[in-house]
């Protein structure tokens, strides 16, 4: 199968996924696969309580927007796809946000390798269905993708997990070519001059997927005299998040822990802000830290780059715009590791 054939297949997948971007009823065409996928979107929450239909549909719509001819051509243009030896690449996927490992999956597909996939128990419905759809439109893909609980007979691995599991992965796969991903967090660098619209967009970076993704902002850097009132006014747009029980339980618990420890908090009844030097904040809380010099912050973030997934700001180095943290481009590689380059070099 040529690269052009593969791109055409992914474009068709993007068109298929675009049907599921809202809560409105999918346009009726009587297709059995369409109806089946609608049911899986709703069923996903029973496997992972954080996977609300809204967030699943957001993930699907993001991929629908990404899988276009223009985006695929721009992404793939720098690479040489003259594959010599087809390999089997094991994919160990996380389950913190819907389809979090999908970029690795399509990278293996485009590179011409076989994918041996171990899904997370928290996200075990969506990708198997997408594979089923791909085979329905391109039967020659049968055998290119397989799912397993126990990995064996593979040549390389891409694994995503916590810092603890990463140590296990690094030892267990020490003799295999690998990409091992660990915990990362995202930050925002503010100046106090942001508009209300920019701060509302920052709320999307904070609250999308309830803050569970590595691209979610979990830490703010603010100038010494920063006024948090405009920030909280913008966050009010997301007040309904507290009506989701799992989020509310985390908010109550984490707030209680902070208060019992006599930590000083800023609070708007659905989000707490705590001054803390760490990058990783618990669900329903954002850490913040004051700065006096922007150059010093840029230097620190560069030094801590292995802990940081992305930076949201209008002034910081290597930053992305407000509201774009959970809308990466195809060429925005996780951990800044070029997955396609790795796969094409096997």
């Amino acid at each position: 199968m040529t690269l052009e054939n593969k791109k055409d297949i992914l474009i068709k997948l993007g068109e298929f996924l675009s049907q599921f971007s809202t809560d409105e009823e999918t346009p009726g065409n009587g297709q059995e696969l369409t109806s089946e996928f609608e049911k899986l979107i709703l069923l996903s929450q029973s496997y992972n309580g954080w996977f609300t239909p809204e967030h699943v549909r957001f993930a699907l719509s993001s991929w629908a927007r990404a899988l276009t001819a223009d985006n695929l051509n721009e992404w793939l243009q720098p690479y040489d796809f003259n594959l010599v030896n087809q390999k089997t690449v094991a994919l160990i996927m996380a389950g913190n946000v819907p389809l979090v490992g999908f970029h690795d999956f399509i990278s293996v597909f485009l590179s011409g390798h076989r994918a041996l996939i171990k899904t997370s128990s928290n996200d075990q419905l969506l990708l198997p269905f997408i594979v089923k759809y791909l085979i329905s439109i391109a039967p020659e893909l049968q055998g290119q993708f397989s799912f397993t609980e126990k990995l064996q007979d593979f040549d390389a691995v891409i694994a995503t997990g916590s810092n603890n599991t990463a140590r296990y992965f690094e030892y267990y796969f020490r003799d295999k070519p690998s990409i091992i991903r660990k915990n990362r967090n995202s930050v925002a660098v503010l100046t106090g001059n942001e508009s209300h619209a920019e701060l509302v967009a920052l709320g999307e970076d904070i609250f999308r997927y309830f803050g569970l993704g590595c691209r979610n902002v979990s830490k703010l850097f603010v100038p010494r005299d920063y006024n948090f009132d405009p920030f909280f006014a913008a966050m009010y747009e997301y007040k309904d998040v507290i009506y989701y029980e799992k989020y509310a339980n985390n908010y109550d618990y984490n707030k209680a822990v902070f208060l019992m420890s006599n930590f000083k908090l800023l609070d708007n009844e659905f989000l707490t802000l705590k001054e803390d030097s760490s990058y990783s904040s618990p669900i329903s809380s954002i850490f913040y830290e004051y700065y006096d010099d922007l150059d010093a912050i840029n230097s620190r973030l560069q030094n801590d780059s292995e802990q940081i997934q992305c930076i949201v700001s209008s002034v910081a180095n290597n930053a992305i715009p407000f509201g774009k943290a959970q809308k990466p481009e195809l060429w925005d590689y996780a951990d800044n590791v070029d997955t396609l380059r790795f796969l094409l070099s096997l």
Side-chain angles (χ1 to χ4, degrees):
M1 181 179 289
T2 68
L3 180 61
E4 291 303 315
N5 293 146
K6 294 173 185 174
K7 287 195 287 188
D8 288 342
I9 289 171
L10 290 180
I11 291 167
K12 290 179 181 177
L13 173 62
E15 293 170 349
F16 176 78
L17 295 179
S18 68
Q19 302 176 86
F20 307 96
S21 60
T22 70
D23 288 328
E24 297 177 4
E25 186 175 347
T26 303
N29 52 16
Q31 293 185 2
E32 181 179 343
L33 287 177
T34 300
S35 176
E36 180 182 347
F37 201 34
E38 284 281 9
K39 294 176 182 177
L40 292 181
I41 290 171
L42 300 177
L43 188 59
S44 291
Q45 195 170 1
S46 66
Y47 286 81
N48 184 339
W50 296 107
F51 281 19
T52 66
E54 175 197 355
H55 287 305
V56 173
R57 291 181 189 280
F58 178 87
L60 297 176
S61 65
S62 297
W63 280 111
R65 287 192 300 270
L67 297 177
T68 65
D70 288 345
N71 286 336
L72 288 166
N73 288 333
E74 184 171 355
W75 175 32
L76 302 177
Q77 188 275 330
Y79 301 94
D80 180 2
F81 284 85
N82 294 320
L83 182 67
V84 178
N85 295 313
Q86 186 184 59
K87 303 291 180 66
T88 297
V89 180
L91 298 177
I92 301 176
M93 300 201 168
N96 52 323
V97 302
L99 288 175
V100 68
F102 191 63
H103 192 279
D104 293 334
F105 170 81
I106 62 173
S107 296
V108 172
F109 169 57
L110 288 166
S111 67
H113 297 301
R114 293 180 293 268
L116 178 63
I117 306 161
K118 187 180 189 305
T119 61
S120 166
S121 60
N122 288 329
D123 188 10
Q124 57 182 282
L125 300 180
L126 301 175
L127 186 57
F129 175 86
I130 288 175
V131 167
K132 180 178 179 179
Y133 174 79
L134 292 177
I135 293 173
S136 76
I137 62 174
E140 62 269 34
L141 294 178
Q142 188 76 46
Q144 287 296 109
F145 317 109
S146 57
F147 293 87
T148 185
E149 285 298 315
K150 183 177 181 180
L151 295 174
Q152 55 187 8
D153 300 326
F154 58 93
D155 304 295
V157 62
I158 301 175
T160 303
S162 66
N163 289 343
N164 287 333
T165 56
R167 286 191 286 270
Y168 164 78
F169 290 153
E170 288 170 347
Y171 174 78
Y172 189 74
F173 302 123
R174 62 191 181 278
D175 297 326
K176 303 282 188 181
S178 64
I179 295 175
I180 307 296
R181 301 202 180 100
K182 306 176 183 179
N183 287 344
R184 290 204 180 207
N185 297 98
S186 296
V187 305
V189 180
L190 306 181
T191 66
N193 297 319
E194 289 79 17
S195 68
H196 179 75
E198 286 177 318
L199 292 175
V200 170
L202 173 60
E204 172 71 15
D205 301 326
I206 292 171
F207 290 105
R208 176 60 59 187
Y209 303 127
F210 300 106
L212 288 166
C214 64
R215 296 184 67 89
N216 286 105
V217 168
S218 59
K219 171 74 174 280
L220 305 178
F221 288 97
V222 298
R224 183 70 57 184
D225 58 351
Y226 187 76
N227 178 9
F228 281 96
D229 289 345
F231 172 84
F232 277 119
M235 294 306 105
Y236 190 71
E237 297 280 341
Y238 302 90
K239 63 184 182 302
D240 288 348
V241 70
I242 197 64
Y243 297 122
Y244 186 64
E245 184 178 6
K246 286 178 71 67
Y247 182 92
N249 290 341
N250 276 268
Y251 169 80
D252 291 338
Y253 173 80
N254 290 316
K255 181 179 177 179
V257 170
F258 289 153
L259 291 175
M260 286 189 295
S261 301
N262 292 320
F263 291 126
K264 180 181 177 181
L265 294 180
L266 301 174
D267 179 26
N268 68 352
E269 302 302 325
F270 61 88
L271 177 69
T272 57
L273 266 64
K274 174 179 177 287
E275 188 173 1
D276 197 298
S277 61
S278 174
Y279 289 114
S280 180
S281 60
I283 296 171
S284 78
S285 183
I286 298 294
F287 290 161
Y288 69 93
E289 192 170 341
Y290 291 111
Y291 70 86
D292 297 302
D293 181 70
L294 184 59
D295 290 338
I297 288 299
N298 282 322
S299 178
R300 173 176 166 182
L301 294 178
Q302 177 62 36
N303 291 336
D304 292 346
S305 59
E306 291 193 0
Q307 300 179 57
I308 296 169
Q309 192 63 260
C310 59
I311 302 167
V312 177
S313 180
S314 61
V315 295
N317 294 342
N318 304 313
I320 60 175
F322 296 104
K324 299 295 184 181
Q326 289 296 351
K327 299 175 183 177
E329 304 290 352
L330 289 170
W331 46 89
D332 291 332
Y333 289 105
D335 300 3
N336 293 314
V337 176
D338 191 324
T339 314
L340 260 183
R341 192 79 64 193
F342 165 78
L343 291 166
L344 293 170
S345 67
L346 294 176

